Structures are given as C-alpha cells and as structure tokens.
Amino acid sequence: MLMDALQTATRPPLVDTFGRSVSYLRLSVTDRCDLRCVYCMPERMSFMRRQHLLSLEELERVARAFIELGVTKIRLTGGEPLMRKNVMSLFQSLSRFLRDGSLKELTLTTNATRLAEYAAALADAGVRRINVSLDTLDPQRFTELTRGGSLVTVLKGIETAQAAGLAVKINTVALKGVTEEEADRLIRFAHGGGMGLTFIETMPLGETGADRLAQYLPLDSLRRRIEARWTVTPVSQRTGGPARYARIEETGGLIGFITPLTHNFCEGCNRVRVTAAGVLHTCLGQEDAADLKDIMRSSPGDQALVASILAAIRSKPKGHDFVLDRMSTPRIARHMSNTGG
C-alpha cells in the first residue's frame, strides 16, 4: 500500500514545493507537563483528555510511516514526554529502526524532572543525546520561572543522564531581565560539564498569562553581551535543526542561537511536527494542519495515512509569521505544549 501511494505521488516523498526535503519529525507524546514555565503556558493549564490522544501504538504507526517516507531523525516531545505512561515501550519499539539503519537518530527534549528515573532505559533504547530545557541556575528563580519546579531535581537528572552515557545539550529560552544575568553562568555550567548550550528566542504561541513583549530578549542583543565577555567564533557545524553555532574559545564549547523572530530560518526548514492528538503541523508559526488521527482510525491500512502526509508536505508554507507587535496577543492560539517542542 505504501509503495502504491508513493508511485502515485506527483513529487518525490517529503519534498515540498520550495524544494526543501523533510527528514526530521518532532512527535509529541503528551501535552501534559509537570512544570508551568511562564513563557510556555498559564499556571492553570487545561490539558487534553486521554481519549483525544494517540495511543502508543498509533504514535508508532505515525513514526513508521514517516520513516518509510524518508525521515531519518525523530525527536519525541511534549509537554514533558517522560510523563506519558509506558512511554519507554515506544522508545523500545522505535529502536528497531535504529538497529536496521533506517533511522539515524532517536532523541527527546525533556525538562529533566524524571530523567534520573529513565536515563538508563533511554540509553538502552538507543538514545544517544538529549536536549534539556533549563533557563536558570538560581534555585529560587527556577522555582519562580517554572511556578514550583525544583532545580535540584533537574540537575540530578542531568547528572544521571551523563552517567548513563547520554550527551546532553541545554536549551535556554532567552528572557529579558533573566538571561542577561544567567548567560555567563550557564556557559560555564554547560561547557564545564561537556554540554552544548543553545539560546532560543521566546515565541508567540498561546496565551500564558504573561506579557511576552516584556519577556522578549532578541538574541542579537544577548550575543553582543556574550561577545563582550567571551571570545566567540562562528562555526559551520549543524545538527539538523535551526540553530546557528559558535565556539567559546575560552571553554572550547559550542553555543547555539535559534532566532525565529530576529532572523528566521525558514529557508532551510527540514522538519514537521505531529501533536499528541495526531495533528500534523508542517510549520510551527502557521495554522496549517492535517488530522492524521481520524485517518488512522478510519483506515486499517497506511495508504490514506501516507497520502495525507504527502499532501501536507506539498502544502508546507514557505515560512512562519511571527511578528513582534503580535506577541502580546499571539496569532497562533495553540500552546507549545500542544504542538510539541
């Protein structure tokens, strides 16, 4: 059935009308999170009911379809992916694609609150590197930014992951009045522990109960502050995502910059997202959507699923539409936890 669908496609699999080849799937397994970060969601967040989520078997079916269409990298996301009950069975199922070479990388983004529990099992499933969201190394500030989280728990998770052999990269959302004070310490912490560090501009997705314009710190400004203290050398290294990297000569470590607002990266976009509810979004900053869940539940074979994926890729927008003056009232109503990070 899959080959029939591919043969009838008018364009090569997973190449959009702008010539961009999609090789990277971010697959959300849950919209739930045990933190309430001030730039991500409101304190009293409403989450989807279980019956609206894809089952673990359906998540594997989606992943398998994308792999057969040429995707070589899958990142499991959330919400917090390690909150999904029995999520390790999904990692274990997908690990067979690592073993046969059809998948080059299986990874995840996590807040690390449950990482100490799962690190060894992730390594056993073939995960080799992970991204950990961490915006401050000050315990009180961490609790404030996450509305109740424990920095000690996160640091223990990172330590356990590294002991299990996982490479860790720190992701830091740039926040005005916070990151300027934290950047030097985060650089020393990350590079001192053999970890990369990437700064990300806050994005206008969903209502959070906070003033995003007041939070917004352009990375051009942050980079100038970093360059005043450190020797920063641009490098050509890429990891398949939107970050642009530089080396801190004093530490030898890398820092990345993801700039959806000041310098968008759409021309090289190679990724799509599928939410935990089975909705395919080919652009983070647009409302485009294809409901894969209904298709899977009404069609026992994969032909309709593959056809829907191919049609969505052919309709992938040229770029997102994040605009600074819309940040207080986001044009995209869905939260990042719904979309998958």
Side-chain angles (χ1 to χ4, degrees), residues 52 117 136 152 160 192 199 204 229 241 266:
H52 297 314
E117 178 182 354
T136 176
V152 171
T160 305
F199 295 103
R229 297 175 174 84
C266 302

Side-chain angles (χ1 to χ4, degrees), residues 215-251:
Q215 292 178 336
Y216 174 62
L217 175 64
L219 288 190
D220 284 352
S221 171
L222 179 64
R223 182 163 182 159
R224 286 193 295 271
R225 294 178 68 94
I226 293 172
E227 288 174 337
R229 297 175 174 84
W230 304 86
T231 306
V232 180
T233 303
V235 298
S236 59
Q237 179 171 330
R238 301 293 299 275
T239 60
R244 302 297 188 268
Y245 290 95
R247 179 180 295 105
I248 301 292
E249 297 297 343
E250 289 84 351
T251 66

Side-chain angles (χ1 to χ4, degrees), residues 74 76 88 91-92 95 98 105-108 115 118-131 164-167:
I74 294 179
L76 298 189
M88 286 312 307
F91 279 100
Q92 291 157 2
S95 68
L98 293 170
E105 184 174 37
L106 175 63
T107 184
L108 78 154
L115 193 51
Y118 289 105
L122 289 168
D124 288 343
V127 175
R128 295 293 174 257
R129 68 183 185 97
I130 62 174
N131 288 358
L166 299 175

Side-chain angles (χ1 to χ4, degrees), residues 177-227:
V178 174
T179 313
E180 302 100 321
E181 300 175 7
E182 295 282 346
D184 289 348
R185 185 157 52 158
L186 285 164
I187 289 170
R188 293 188 184 97
F189 167 74
H191 293 176
M195 298 175 284
L197 171 65
T198 294
F199 295 103
I200 306 170
E201 287 178 341
T202 184
M203 289 175 273
L205 289 167
E207 295 291 348
T208 64
D211 183 349
R212 276 207 172 84
L213 283 174
Q215 292 178 336
Y216 174 62
L217 175 64
L219 288 190
D220 284 352
S221 171
L222 179 64
R223 182 163 182 159
R224 286 193 295 271
R225 294 178 68 94
I226 293 172
E227 288 174 337

Side-chain angles (χ1 to χ4, degrees), residues 89-103:
S89 66
L90 179 59
F91 279 100
Q92 291 157 2
S93 295
L94 295 179
S95 68
R96 74 181 189 273
F97 298 108
L98 293 170
R99 292 192 295 271
D100 69 20
S102 54
L103 191 63

Side-chain angles (χ1 to χ4, degrees), residues 297-324:
R297 292 182 179 178
S298 61
S299 304
D302 285 346
Q303 187 170 5
L305 172 62
V306 168
S308 181
I309 292 171
L310 291 172
I313 297 301
R314 288 194 294 271
S315 299
K316 183 175 170 63
K318 186 175 183 179
H320 63 239
D321 187 27
F322 293 139
V323 180
L324 292 179

Side-chain angles (χ1 to χ4, degrees), residues 59-126:
L59 287 164
E60 181 189 356
R61 185 178 169 190
V62 169
R64 184 179 69 245
F66 273 96
I67 292 168
E68 291 175 348
L69 286 167
V71 159
T72 58
K73 176 178 178 178
I74 294 179
R75 180 179 298 278
L76 298 189
T77 68
E80 170 46 48
L82 297 181
M83 287 190 68
R84 178 69 187 256
K85 187 176 180 180
N86 296 325
V87 71
M88 286 312 307
S89 66
L90 179 59
F91 279 100
Q92 291 157 2
S93 295
L94 295 179
S95 68
R96 74 181 189 273
F97 298 108
L98 293 170
R99 292 192 295 271
D100 69 20
S102 54
L103 191 63
K104 293 180 180 178
E105 184 174 37
L106 175 63
T107 184
L108 78 154
T109 295
T110 175
N111 63 24
T113 59
R114 302 186 177 203
L115 193 51
E117 178 182 354
Y118 289 105
L122 289 168
D124 288 343

